[in-house]
Amino acid sequence: MPFIPHTADEVSAMLRTVGVADIAALFDEIPPGLRIDGLPGVPDGLPEWEVGALLAERTAGDRNPTCFLGAGAYQHHIPAAVWQLVSRGEFYSAYTPYQAEASQGTLQVLYEFQSMIAGLCALDVANASLYDGASALAEAVLMAVRANGQAGRRVLLPRALHPAYRAAVRGIVARQGIELVEPGFDAQTGRTVLDGIDWIGVAALAVPQPNFFGVLEDVDALTDAAHAAGALVVGVVNPLALAILKPPGQWGARGADIACGEGQPLGIPLAGGGPYLGFMACREGLVRQLPGRIAGRTVDLDGKDGFTLTLQAREQHIRRAKATSNICTNQGLLATAATLYMSLMGPAGLTTVARQSHANLNLLRERLCALPGVTPAFSGPTFNETVLRLPGDLPRVLDGLLERDILGGLPLAEHYPELADGLLVCTTELTSPAACARYAAALADLL
């Protein structure tokens, strides 16, 4: 869907320039008898995302399942302007900027991206993106161990953290002499518990917010406990949720030390699983340990604003033993999309999306839990995902839902055997009340 960028003020300015009063005057050669006043039968305009959903629904022959599957990748509305602008050649085909003086536009976008991420996380500095949320966490673990080396080489990764993230961290750090310990979660609330944890040698604690079950952790208590033991805190966050939740920089008495996560909710399409966008922010004292690049703002000899790569701790510039990570591909393209999304949505738009996603989850949970045998798995507060316990054969139920063009959610048995009857369901601002009702009706037929 193409993006029409002209605002009312811009249209007025153009009309004044060509010397006409309104757009209709541009067509004055058409005789009045041939003109029409409006289009009979054409309804009022709809929001962009509703038009997109309507067109998808009416596309002949295409199956368009209603998605209640989240688990780290979410189907949010993306304004048409985002990828209309990202697809411009200046961004779409450009590689990573090495010569700062030749890449001012790209560098400014990265600078704005960093500023927005740092603002969302309430931390001092952010880098110019990473590959994805899972590898961003692995980089954060390595960073925390480097920065807090005197504490030890043990890192706490709660079981309530995304299983794919934990697997990625294990794959990246397992051979680097770092021990990963997985604290459990409370069976009633779904929140991480640190009871019985031996804090000796612990360099860092990762705190997911929300966690993999959609449950909101008691981030203040976890942060303060880690800091009291001399460990750093790494917040693993959904950036969209930060529009309504306390940011990592304000957790506990002195805030998290590092924050990271997956930027896909910020204007990145699902795209079959990628490419996605990792982000990372930290407090200023840790900036020298931050992997990747940092774009900075300065002035030239004439006092004009300029942008440059301020920090870029890469293998080409320093000894390999002193390097952090080689983050140098055009992952900046996804950072550009996220920057445009956040700019277009603004604080009010991000808050609206987050609140509507949460409200839709409450509606879905209410409808599904009204069915016999369907119960919430946890009592803890949630954001836009939750775990439900379903009676009967869960794979058969999910297959039946899919036959009705409903992606019913993620079964948890593979990763959490104690939740063999658990189904992780998700809603976003795109989940309509009608979709929730259709899911409930289909599930009632299958149970």
Side-chain angles (χ1 to χ4, degrees):
M1 186 181 296
F3 169 57
I4 301 174
H6 301 141
T7 65
D9 289 341
E10 290 170 335
V11 171
S12 297
M14 287 187 283
L15 291 174
R16 286 195 302 270
T17 300
V18 298
V20 298
D22 52 38
I23 292 177
L26 299 175
F27 303 93
D28 58 0
E29 71 275 12
I30 301 175
L34 298 179
R35 302 179 190 181
I36 60 173
D37 183 15
L39 297 173
V42 176
D44 293 336
L46 297 173
E48 182 184 307
W49 70 269
E50 289 188 15
V51 174
L54 181 63
L55 292 176
E57 180 183 326
R58 295 186 178 181
T59 302
D62 284 355
R63 294 185 64 187
N64 188 41
T66 304
C67 185
F68 293 90
L69 176 63
Y74 305 97
Q75 189 177 42
H76 290 289
H77 168 65
I78 302 173
V82 172
W83 285 91
Q84 187 76 8
L85 295 173
V86 173
S87 298
R88 288 180 59 93
E90 300 97 314
F91 297 124
Y92 199 71
S93 59
Y95 196 64
T96 298
Y98 293 103
Q99 293 76 34
E101 68 280 0
S103 309
Q104 286 298 291
T106 299
L107 287 169
Q108 181 174 357
V109 167
L110 294 178
Y111 175 83
E112 302 295 348
F113 170 80
Q114 294 168 181
S115 300
M116 294 178 188
I117 292 297
L120 273 177
C121 295
L123 286 166
D124 300 320
V125 62
N127 67 10
S129 84
L130 296 152
Y131 291 120
D132 57 27
S135 60
L137 175 58
E139 296 290 355
V141 166
L142 293 172
M143 176 181 171
V145 171
R146 289 194 303 270
N148 202 20
Q150 294 182 349
R153 299 183 67 82
R154 301 173 68 220
V155 174
L156 306 183
L157 292 185
R159 285 193 72 225
L161 184 67
H162 198 303
Y165 283 38
R166 288 184 280 129
V169 174
R170 283 194 299 271
I172 292 173
V173 312
R175 302 273 181 184
Q176 301 194 46
I178 297 174
E179 179 187 356
L180 301 177
V181 180
E182 296 189 350
F185 57 88
D186 183 77
Q188 298 298 318
T189 65
R191 287 177 159 181
T192 296
V193 291
L194 300 177
D195 298 344
I197 290 295
D198 178 7
W199 288 97
I200 296 176
V202 174
L205 164 68
V207 179
Q209 183 71 333
N211 66 28
F212 184 64
F213 307 131
V215 173
L216 303 184
E217 296 280 6
D218 186 351
V219 292
D220 292 336
L222 294 175
T223 299
D224 288 342
H227 285 158
L232 299 181
V233 173
V234 179
V236 188
V237 294
N238 178 336
L240 194 58
L242 295 182
I244 58 175
L245 299 179
K246 182 186 293 186
Q250 297 176 6
W251 292 354
R254 60 183 177 93
D257 304 283
I258 305 169
C260 63
E262 174 57 61
Q264 183 272 329
L266 303 176
I268 314 300
L270 290 173
Y276 285 164
L277 166 70
F279 65 87
M280 185 183 294
C282 68
R283 53 184 173 84
E284 187 176 2
L286 301 176
V287 67
R288 288 288 177 178
Q289 300 294 338
L290 193 65
R293 302 162 294 156
I294 298 178
R297 181 176 181 174
T298 185
V299 294
D300 63 14
L301 292 176
D302 299 322
K304 296 179 180 179
D305 285 343
F307 299 88
T308 183
L309 289 178
T310 305
L311 291 176
Q312 44 179 335
R314 299 182 54 221
E315 283 80 348
Q316 286 94 325
H317 306 309
I318 59 178
R319 297 194 310 274
R320 184 178 182 85
K322 294 291 185 179
T324 53
S325 291
N326 189 3
I327 312 283
C328 66
T329 67
N330 196 20
Q331 197 66 10
L333 184 72
L334 286 305
T336 300
T339 304
L340 289 167
Y341 177 86
M342 288 187 284
S343 299
L344 287 166
M345 299 297 288
L350 295 177
T351 299
T352 298
V353 170
R355 290 190 182 281
Q356 190 59 52
S357 298
H358 176 64
N360 290 341
L361 180 67
N362 290 335
L363 176 61
L364 178 66
R365 178 166 46 206
E366 178 183 345
R367 285 190 173 274
L368 297 187
C369 290
L371 301 177
V374 180
T375 59
F378 302 115
S379 62
T382 57
F383 173 52
N384 71 328
E385 291 179 277
T386 193
V387 179
L388 301 178
R389 292 187 181 273
L390 272 63
D393 185 350
L394 188 53
R396 179 191 63 80
V397 169
L398 290 174
D399 288 343
L401 290 171
L402 190 57
E403 291 173 0
R404 293 163 170 80
D405 288 336
I406 296 173
L407 286 173
L410 181 74
L412 297 180
E414 178 181 355
H415 302 293
Y416 300 94
E418 67 271 43
L419 294 171
D421 59 347
L423 181 67
L424 182 66
V425 296
C426 171
T427 61
T428 69
E429 79 281 12
L430 298 180
T431 310
S432 67
C436 294
R438 192 161 70 89
Y439 190 157
L443 187 59
D445 288 341
L446 293 165
L447 291 179

